[in-house]
Short mmCIF file of all heavy atoms in Angstrom, two decimals:
data_model
loop_
_atom_site.label_atom_id
_atom_site.label_comp_id
_atom_site.label_asym_id
_atom_site.label_seq_id
_atom_site.Cartn_x
_atom_site.Cartn_y
_atom_site.Cartn_z
N VAL G 299 -61.94 -16.42 -0.32
CA VAL G 299 -63.30 -16.38 0.21
C VAL G 299 -64.05 -17.61 -0.26
O VAL G 299 -64.14 -17.87 -1.47
CB VAL G 299 -64.03 -15.10 -0.23
CG1 VAL G 299 -65.47 -15.11 0.29
CG2 VAL G 299 -63.29 -13.86 0.27
N ILE G 300 -64.58 -18.38 0.70
CA ILE G 300 -65.26 -19.63 0.38
C ILE G 300 -66.64 -19.62 1.02
O ILE G 300 -66.76 -19.59 2.25
CB ILE G 300 -64.47 -20.85 0.90
CG1 ILE G 300 -63.04 -20.83 0.35
CG2 ILE G 300 -65.18 -22.14 0.52
CD1 ILE G 300 -62.17 -21.96 0.88
N PRO G 301 -67.72 -19.65 0.22
CA PRO G 301 -69.07 -19.78 0.79
C PRO G 301 -69.36 -21.23 1.14
O PRO G 301 -68.92 -22.16 0.45
CB PRO G 301 -69.96 -19.28 -0.35
CG PRO G 301 -69.20 -19.64 -1.60
CD PRO G 301 -67.73 -19.55 -1.24
N LEU G 302 -70.11 -21.44 2.21
CA LEU G 302 -70.39 -22.79 2.69
C LEU G 302 -71.87 -22.93 3.04
O LEU G 302 -72.44 -22.06 3.70
CB LEU G 302 -69.58 -23.09 3.96
CG LEU G 302 -68.06 -22.94 3.87
CD1 LEU G 302 -67.48 -22.73 5.25
CD2 LEU G 302 -67.46 -24.18 3.22
N TYR G 303 -72.45 -24.04 2.61
CA TYR G 303 -73.82 -24.36 3.04
C TYR G 303 -73.94 -25.87 3.13
O TYR G 303 -73.88 -26.59 2.13
CB TYR G 303 -74.85 -23.80 2.06
CG TYR G 303 -76.27 -24.15 2.45
CD1 TYR G 303 -76.81 -23.68 3.66
CD2 TYR G 303 -77.06 -24.96 1.65
CE1 TYR G 303 -78.10 -24.01 4.04
CE2 TYR G 303 -78.35 -25.29 2.02
CZ TYR G 303 -78.86 -24.81 3.21
OH TYR G 303 -80.14 -25.15 3.60
N GLU G 305 -71.84 -28.24 4.28
CA GLU G 305 -70.66 -28.81 3.61
C GLU G 305 -69.82 -29.67 4.53
O GLU G 305 -68.63 -29.87 4.27
CB GLU G 305 -69.78 -27.67 3.06
CG GLU G 305 -70.47 -26.73 2.09
CD GLU G 305 -70.65 -27.34 0.71
OE1 GLU G 305 -70.42 -28.56 0.56
OE2 GLU G 305 -71.03 -26.59 -0.20
N VAL G 332 -67.43 -18.40 4.88
CA VAL G 332 -68.72 -17.84 5.27
C VAL G 332 -69.74 -18.97 5.33
O VAL G 332 -70.10 -19.55 4.29
CB VAL G 332 -69.17 -16.75 4.30
CG1 VAL G 332 -70.44 -16.09 4.82
CG2 VAL G 332 -68.08 -15.72 4.09
N ASP G 333 -70.19 -19.29 6.54
CA ASP G 333 -71.21 -20.32 6.71
C ASP G 333 -72.58 -19.69 6.48
O ASP G 333 -73.02 -18.83 7.24
CB ASP G 333 -71.12 -20.95 8.09
CG ASP G 333 -72.13 -22.07 8.24
OD1 ASP G 333 -71.91 -23.14 7.64
OD2 ASP G 333 -73.16 -21.86 8.91
N ASP G 334 -73.25 -20.15 5.44
CA ASP G 334 -74.53 -19.58 5.03
C ASP G 334 -75.70 -20.31 5.69
O ASP G 334 -76.55 -20.90 5.03
CB ASP G 334 -74.62 -19.65 3.50
CG ASP G 334 -75.88 -19.01 2.93
OD1 ASP G 334 -76.33 -17.99 3.48
OD2 ASP G 334 -76.42 -19.56 1.95
N GLY G 335 -75.70 -20.29 7.03
CA GLY G 335 -76.81 -20.89 7.76
C GLY G 335 -76.88 -22.40 7.69
O GLY G 335 -77.97 -22.98 7.67
N PRO G 358 -77.20 -16.09 8.73
CA PRO G 358 -78.43 -16.81 8.37
C PRO G 358 -78.41 -17.20 6.90
O PRO G 358 -77.78 -16.53 6.08
CB PRO G 358 -79.54 -15.79 8.66
CG PRO G 358 -78.91 -14.77 9.55
CD PRO G 358 -77.46 -14.71 9.19
N HIS G 359 -79.10 -18.28 6.57
CA HIS G 359 -79.11 -18.76 5.18
C HIS G 359 -79.75 -17.73 4.26
O HIS G 359 -80.88 -17.29 4.48
CB HIS G 359 -79.87 -20.08 5.09
CG HIS G 359 -79.92 -20.63 3.70
ND1 HIS G 359 -78.79 -20.89 2.97
CD2 HIS G 359 -80.97 -20.94 2.90
CE1 HIS G 359 -79.13 -21.37 1.79
NE2 HIS G 359 -80.45 -21.39 1.72
N ALA G 360 -79.00 -17.30 3.24
CA ALA G 360 -79.52 -16.33 2.28
C ALA G 360 -79.12 -16.65 0.86
O ALA G 360 -79.76 -16.18 -0.08
CB ALA G 360 -79.05 -14.91 2.64
N GLY G 361 -78.05 -17.43 0.65
CA GLY G 361 -77.64 -17.77 -0.69
C GLY G 361 -76.17 -17.48 -0.93
O GLY G 361 -75.51 -16.78 -0.15
N LYS G 362 -75.67 -18.02 -2.05
CA LYS G 362 -74.24 -17.86 -2.38
C LYS G 362 -73.86 -16.39 -2.52
O LYS G 362 -72.80 -15.96 -2.06
CB LYS G 362 -73.93 -18.60 -3.67
CG LYS G 362 -72.49 -18.40 -4.15
CD LYS G 362 -72.24 -19.03 -5.51
CE LYS G 362 -70.83 -18.71 -6.01
NZ LYS G 362 -70.55 -19.28 -7.35
N GLY G 363 -74.70 -15.61 -3.19
CA GLY G 363 -74.38 -14.21 -3.40
C GLY G 363 -74.22 -13.46 -2.09
O GLY G 363 -73.27 -12.68 -1.91
N ALA G 364 -75.14 -13.69 -1.17
CA ALA G 364 -75.07 -13.02 0.13
C ALA G 364 -73.81 -13.43 0.88
O ALA G 364 -73.15 -12.61 1.53
CB ALA G 364 -76.32 -13.34 0.95
N ALA G 365 -73.47 -14.72 0.81
CA ALA G 365 -72.27 -15.21 1.51
C ALA G 365 -71.01 -14.59 0.91
O ALA G 365 -70.10 -14.17 1.65
CB ALA G 365 -72.21 -16.73 1.42
N LEU G 366 -70.93 -14.50 -0.40
CA LEU G 366 -69.75 -13.91 -1.03
C LEU G 366 -69.64 -12.42 -0.70
O LEU G 366 -68.54 -11.92 -0.44
CB LEU G 366 -69.79 -14.11 -2.54
CG LEU G 366 -69.46 -15.51 -3.05
CD1 LEU G 366 -69.63 -15.58 -4.56
CD2 LEU G 366 -68.06 -15.95 -2.65
N ARG G 367 -70.74 -11.71 -0.70
CA ARG G 367 -70.69 -10.29 -0.37
C ARG G 367 -70.14 -10.09 1.04
O ARG G 367 -69.31 -9.21 1.29
CB ARG G 367 -72.07 -9.64 -0.47
CG ARG G 367 -72.58 -9.52 -1.89
CD ARG G 367 -73.63 -8.41 -2.02
NE ARG G 367 -74.66 -8.48 -1.01
CZ ARG G 367 -75.76 -9.21 -1.10
NH1 ARG G 367 -75.96 -9.96 -2.17
NH2 ARG G 367 -76.66 -9.19 -0.15
N ARG G 368 -70.61 -10.92 1.96
CA ARG G 368 -70.15 -10.81 3.35
C ARG G 368 -68.65 -11.14 3.45
O ARG G 368 -67.90 -10.45 4.13
CB ARG G 368 -70.96 -11.75 4.25
CG ARG G 368 -70.63 -11.65 5.73
CD ARG G 368 -71.48 -12.63 6.52
NE ARG G 368 -72.88 -12.26 6.48
CZ ARG G 368 -73.49 -11.53 7.42
NH1 ARG G 368 -72.81 -11.10 8.46
NH2 ARG G 368 -74.76 -11.25 7.32
N GLY G 369 -68.23 -12.19 2.77
CA GLY G 369 -66.83 -12.59 2.86
C GLY G 369 -65.89 -11.60 2.22
O GLY G 369 -64.84 -11.27 2.78
N VAL G 370 -66.24 -11.08 1.04
CA VAL G 370 -65.37 -10.13 0.36
C VAL G 370 -65.30 -8.82 1.15
O VAL G 370 -64.23 -8.19 1.24
CB VAL G 370 -65.86 -9.89 -1.08
CG1 VAL G 370 -65.08 -8.75 -1.72
CG2 VAL G 370 -65.70 -11.16 -1.91
N LEU G 380 -61.95 -16.21 -5.18
CA LEU G 380 -63.23 -16.85 -4.87
C LEU G 380 -63.14 -18.30 -5.31
O LEU G 380 -62.68 -18.60 -6.41
CB LEU G 380 -64.37 -16.17 -5.62
CG LEU G 380 -64.43 -14.64 -5.58
CD1 LEU G 380 -65.60 -14.13 -6.41
CD2 LEU G 380 -64.54 -14.13 -4.15
N THR G 381 -63.60 -19.21 -4.45
CA THR G 381 -63.57 -20.62 -4.82
C THR G 381 -64.65 -21.37 -4.06
O THR G 381 -65.13 -20.91 -3.02
CB THR G 381 -62.20 -21.25 -4.55
OG1 THR G 381 -62.18 -22.60 -5.02
CG2 THR G 381 -61.87 -21.25 -3.06
N ASP G 382 -65.01 -22.53 -4.57
CA ASP G 382 -65.92 -23.42 -3.86
C ASP G 382 -65.11 -24.33 -2.94
O ASP G 382 -63.94 -24.59 -3.17
CB ASP G 382 -66.72 -24.26 -4.86
CG ASP G 382 -67.57 -23.40 -5.78
OD1 ASP G 382 -68.14 -22.41 -5.30
OD2 ASP G 382 -67.66 -23.73 -6.98
N VAL G 383 -65.78 -24.82 -1.91
CA VAL G 383 -65.06 -25.60 -0.90
C VAL G 383 -64.52 -26.91 -1.44
O VAL G 383 -63.53 -27.45 -0.91
CB VAL G 383 -65.98 -25.85 0.32
CG1 VAL G 383 -67.11 -26.79 -0.02
CG2 VAL G 383 -65.18 -26.36 1.52
N ASP G 384 -65.12 -27.44 -2.50
CA ASP G 384 -64.65 -28.72 -3.03
C ASP G 384 -63.45 -28.57 -3.96
O ASP G 384 -62.89 -29.57 -4.41
CB ASP G 384 -65.78 -29.45 -3.77
CG ASP G 384 -66.31 -28.67 -4.95
OD1 ASP G 384 -65.83 -27.54 -5.21
OD2 ASP G 384 -67.23 -29.18 -5.63
N SER G 386 -63.19 -27.70 -7.10
CA SER G 386 -63.39 -28.37 -8.39
C SER G 386 -62.41 -27.86 -9.44
O SER G 386 -62.17 -28.52 -10.45
CB SER G 386 -64.83 -28.19 -8.86
OG SER G 386 -65.19 -26.82 -8.88
N ARG G 407 -64.52 -22.99 -18.38
CA ARG G 407 -64.55 -24.42 -18.67
C ARG G 407 -64.88 -24.69 -20.13
O ARG G 407 -65.16 -25.84 -20.49
CB ARG G 407 -65.57 -25.09 -17.76
CG ARG G 407 -65.28 -24.89 -16.29
CD ARG G 407 -66.48 -25.17 -15.41
NE ARG G 407 -67.53 -24.17 -15.61
CZ ARG G 407 -68.67 -24.14 -14.94
NH1 ARG G 407 -68.93 -25.07 -14.04
NH2 ARG G 407 -69.56 -23.19 -15.17
N THR G 443 -69.63 -17.96 -17.26
CA THR G 443 -69.63 -17.01 -16.13
C THR G 443 -69.72 -17.72 -14.79
O THR G 443 -69.40 -17.13 -13.76
CB THR G 443 -70.83 -16.05 -16.23
OG1 THR G 443 -72.06 -16.80 -16.24
CG2 THR G 443 -70.75 -15.20 -17.49
N GLN G 444 -70.14 -18.98 -14.78
CA GLN G 444 -70.57 -19.62 -13.54
C GLN G 444 -69.50 -20.43 -12.82
O GLN G 444 -69.75 -20.93 -11.73
CB GLN G 444 -71.79 -20.51 -13.80
CG GLN G 444 -72.99 -19.74 -14.31
CD GLN G 444 -73.34 -18.53 -13.47
OE1 GLN G 444 -73.14 -17.39 -13.89
NE2 GLN G 444 -73.83 -18.77 -12.26
N CYS G 445 -68.34 -20.60 -13.41
CA CYS G 445 -67.28 -21.29 -12.67
C CYS G 445 -66.93 -20.45 -11.44
O CYS G 445 -66.68 -19.25 -11.54
CB CYS G 445 -66.05 -21.47 -13.55
SG CYS G 445 -64.75 -22.44 -12.77
N GLY G 446 -66.92 -21.06 -10.28
CA GLY G 446 -66.77 -20.32 -9.03
C GLY G 446 -65.36 -19.86 -8.72
O GLY G 446 -65.13 -19.23 -7.69
N PHE G 447 -64.40 -20.16 -9.58
CA PHE G 447 -62.98 -19.87 -9.33
C PHE G 447 -62.62 -18.56 -10.03
O PHE G 447 -62.50 -18.51 -11.25
CB PHE G 447 -62.15 -21.03 -9.87
CG PHE G 447 -60.77 -21.16 -9.28
CD1 PHE G 447 -60.60 -21.63 -7.99
CD2 PHE G 447 -59.65 -20.85 -10.02
CE1 PHE G 447 -59.33 -21.79 -7.45
CE2 PHE G 447 -58.37 -21.00 -9.49
CZ PHE G 447 -58.22 -21.47 -8.20
N LYS G 448 -62.42 -17.48 -9.27
CA LYS G 448 -62.16 -16.16 -9.83
C LYS G 448 -61.13 -15.44 -8.96
O LYS G 448 -61.20 -15.52 -7.73
CB LYS G 448 -63.44 -15.34 -9.92
CG LYS G 448 -64.50 -15.89 -10.86
CD LYS G 448 -65.76 -15.05 -10.84
CE LYS G 448 -66.74 -15.48 -11.92
NZ LYS G 448 -67.31 -16.82 -11.68
N PHE G 459 -68.37 -5.89 -5.04
CA PHE G 459 -69.32 -6.64 -4.22
C PHE G 459 -70.15 -5.71 -3.34
O PHE G 459 -71.29 -6.03 -3.01
CB PHE G 459 -68.60 -7.68 -3.38
CG PHE G 459 -68.41 -8.99 -4.10
CD1 PHE G 459 -67.22 -9.29 -4.74
CD2 PHE G 459 -69.43 -9.92 -4.15
CE1 PHE G 459 -67.04 -10.48 -5.42
CE2 PHE G 459 -69.28 -11.12 -4.83
CZ PHE G 459 -68.08 -11.40 -5.46
N CYS G 462 -73.01 -4.98 -5.54
CA CYS G 462 -73.86 -6.10 -5.92
C CYS G 462 -75.04 -6.25 -4.96
O CYS G 462 -74.94 -5.93 -3.78
CB CYS G 462 -73.05 -7.40 -5.96
SG CYS G 462 -71.91 -7.53 -7.36
N THR G 463 -76.14 -6.78 -5.49
CA THR G 463 -77.37 -6.91 -4.70
C THR G 463 -77.93 -8.33 -4.66
O THR G 463 -78.74 -8.63 -3.80
CB THR G 463 -78.45 -5.98 -5.25
OG1 THR G 463 -78.76 -6.36 -6.60
CG2 THR G 463 -78.00 -4.52 -5.21
N LEU G 464 -77.51 -9.19 -5.58
CA LEU G 464 -78.13 -10.50 -5.68
C LEU G 464 -77.66 -11.43 -4.56
O LEU G 464 -76.49 -11.42 -4.18
CB LEU G 464 -77.81 -11.15 -7.02
CG LEU G 464 -78.40 -10.48 -8.27
CD1 LEU G 464 -78.06 -11.29 -9.51
CD2 LEU G 464 -79.91 -10.31 -8.13
N ASP G 465 -78.58 -12.25 -4.07
CA ASP G 465 -78.26 -13.22 -3.03
C ASP G 465 -77.97 -14.60 -3.60
O ASP G 465 -77.35 -15.43 -2.93
CB ASP G 465 -79.42 -13.34 -2.04
CG ASP G 465 -79.57 -12.13 -1.14
OD1 ASP G 465 -78.57 -11.39 -0.98
OD2 ASP G 465 -80.67 -11.92 -0.61
N GLY G 466 -78.45 -14.88 -4.81
CA GLY G 466 -78.40 -16.24 -5.33
C GLY G 466 -77.24 -16.54 -6.25
O GLY G 466 -76.21 -15.86 -6.26
N TRP G 467 -77.43 -17.57 -7.10
CA TRP G 467 -76.36 -18.09 -7.94
C TRP G 467 -75.95 -17.14 -9.06
O TRP G 467 -74.83 -17.24 -9.58
CB TRP G 467 -76.79 -19.44 -8.54
CG TRP G 467 -77.01 -20.49 -7.52
CD1 TRP G 467 -78.21 -20.95 -7.07
CD2 TRP G 467 -76.01 -21.21 -6.79
NE1 TRP G 467 -78.02 -21.91 -6.11
CE2 TRP G 467 -76.69 -22.10 -5.92
CE3 TRP G 467 -74.61 -21.19 -6.80
CZ2 TRP G 467 -76.00 -22.96 -5.06
CZ3 TRP G 467 -73.94 -22.05 -5.94
CH2 TRP G 467 -74.63 -22.92 -5.08
N ALA G 468 -76.83 -16.22 -9.44
CA ALA G 468 -76.49 -15.30 -10.54
C ALA G 468 -75.56 -14.18 -10.08
O ALA G 468 -75.27 -13.27 -10.85
CB ALA G 468 -77.76 -14.71 -11.15
N ILE G 469 -75.05 -14.25 -8.86
CA ILE G 469 -74.08 -13.26 -8.39
C ILE G 469 -72.88 -13.19 -9.33
O ILE G 469 -72.28 -12.12 -9.53
CB ILE G 469 -73.62 -13.58 -6.94
CG1 ILE G 469 -72.72 -12.47 -6.39
CG2 ILE G 469 -72.93 -14.94 -6.88
CD1 ILE G 469 -73.39 -11.14 -6.21
N ASP G 470 -72.49 -14.31 -9.95
CA ASP G 470 -71.36 -14.31 -10.87
C ASP G 470 -71.64 -13.41 -12.07
O ASP G 470 -70.76 -12.68 -12.54
CB ASP G 470 -71.06 -15.74 -11.35
CG ASP G 470 -70.65 -16.65 -10.22
OD1 ASP G 470 -69.47 -16.62 -9.86
OD2 ASP G 470 -71.51 -17.38 -9.69
N VAL G 471 -72.88 -13.46 -12.57
CA VAL G 471 -73.26 -12.63 -13.70
C VAL G 471 -73.24 -11.16 -13.29
O VAL G 471 -72.72 -10.30 -14.01
CB VAL G 471 -74.65 -13.04 -14.23
CG1 VAL G 471 -75.08 -12.11 -15.35
CG2 VAL G 471 -74.64 -14.49 -14.70
N GLU G 472 -73.83 -10.86 -12.14
CA GLU G 472 -73.85 -9.48 -11.68
C GLU G 472 -72.44 -8.94 -11.46
O GLU G 472 -72.12 -7.81 -11.85
CB GLU G 472 -74.65 -9.34 -10.39
CG GLU G 472 -74.75 -7.89 -9.93
CD GLU G 472 -75.57 -7.69 -8.67
OE1 GLU G 472 -75.80 -8.68 -7.94
OE2 GLU G 472 -75.97 -6.54 -8.41
N LEU G 473 -71.58 -9.74 -10.86
CA LEU G 473 -70.20 -9.32 -10.62
C LEU G 473 -69.50 -8.95 -11.93
O LEU G 473 -68.88 -7.88 -12.04
CB LEU G 473 -69.44 -10.44 -9.92
CG LEU G 473 -67.93 -10.24 -9.76
CD1 LEU G 473 -67.64 -9.10 -8.80
CD2 LEU G 473 -67.27 -11.55 -9.29
N SER G 497 -72.83 -31.24 -5.73
CA SER G 497 -72.91 -29.78 -5.83
C SER G 497 -74.14 -29.24 -5.11
O SER G 497 -75.18 -29.88 -5.07
CB SER G 497 -72.97 -29.37 -7.31
OG SER G 497 -73.29 -28.01 -7.44
N ARG G 498 -73.99 -28.03 -4.54
CA ARG G 498 -75.14 -27.38 -3.90
C ARG G 498 -76.15 -26.87 -4.92
O ARG G 498 -77.28 -26.56 -4.56
CB ARG G 498 -74.68 -26.17 -3.06
CG ARG G 498 -73.70 -26.50 -1.95
CD ARG G 498 -74.32 -27.37 -0.88
NE ARG G 498 -74.07 -28.78 -1.16
CZ ARG G 498 -74.51 -29.78 -0.40
NH1 ARG G 498 -75.22 -29.55 0.67
NH2 ARG G 498 -74.24 -31.02 -0.73
N VAL G 499 -75.75 -26.79 -6.18
CA VAL G 499 -76.66 -26.31 -7.22
C VAL G 499 -77.63 -27.43 -7.58
O VAL G 499 -77.22 -28.54 -7.90
CB VAL G 499 -75.89 -25.87 -8.48
CG1 VAL G 499 -76.87 -25.34 -9.53
CG2 VAL G 499 -74.87 -24.80 -8.13
N ASP G 504 -83.17 -24.54 -8.87
CA ASP G 504 -82.56 -23.21 -8.84
C ASP G 504 -82.52 -22.52 -10.21
O ASP G 504 -82.30 -21.32 -10.28
CB ASP G 504 -81.11 -23.31 -8.32
CG ASP G 504 -81.05 -23.86 -6.91
OD1 ASP G 504 -81.98 -23.59 -6.14
OD2 ASP G 504 -80.07 -24.55 -6.59
N THR G 508 -82.45 -18.46 -10.92
CA THR G 508 -81.21 -17.86 -11.41
C THR G 508 -81.44 -17.13 -12.72
O THR G 508 -80.90 -16.04 -12.95
CB THR G 508 -80.13 -18.95 -11.58
OG1 THR G 508 -79.98 -19.66 -10.35
CG2 THR G 508 -78.80 -18.35 -11.98
N GLU G 511 -82.94 -13.87 -12.03
CA GLU G 511 -81.95 -12.94 -11.49
C GLU G 511 -81.11 -12.30 -12.60
O GLU G 511 -80.71 -11.14 -12.49
CB GLU G 511 -81.04 -13.66 -10.49
CG GLU G 511 -81.71 -13.98 -9.17
CD GLU G 511 -80.75 -14.65 -8.20
OE1 GLU G 511 -79.77 -15.28 -8.66
OE2 GLU G 511 -80.98 -14.55 -6.99
#
Side-chain angles (χ1 to χ4, degrees):
V299 178
I300 305 177
L302 304 158
Y303 178 63
E305 303 284 10
V332 186
D333 183 73
D334 183 36
H359 180 57
K362 176 186 175 181
L366 285 177
R367 290 203 312 273
R368 184 181 293 265
V370 172
L380 312 178
T381 185
D382 299 321
V383 69
D384 61 359
S386 53
R407 301 163 292 182
T443 59
Q444 299 309 109
C445 185
F447 202 74
K448 296 177 172 68
F459 273 97
C462 287
T463 61
L464 294 183
D465 288 338
W467 296 104
I469 186 65
D470 297 278
V471 176
E472 183 178 18
L473 172 67
S497 169
R498 301 294 93 181
V499 181
D504 299 328
T508 306
E511 287 182 335

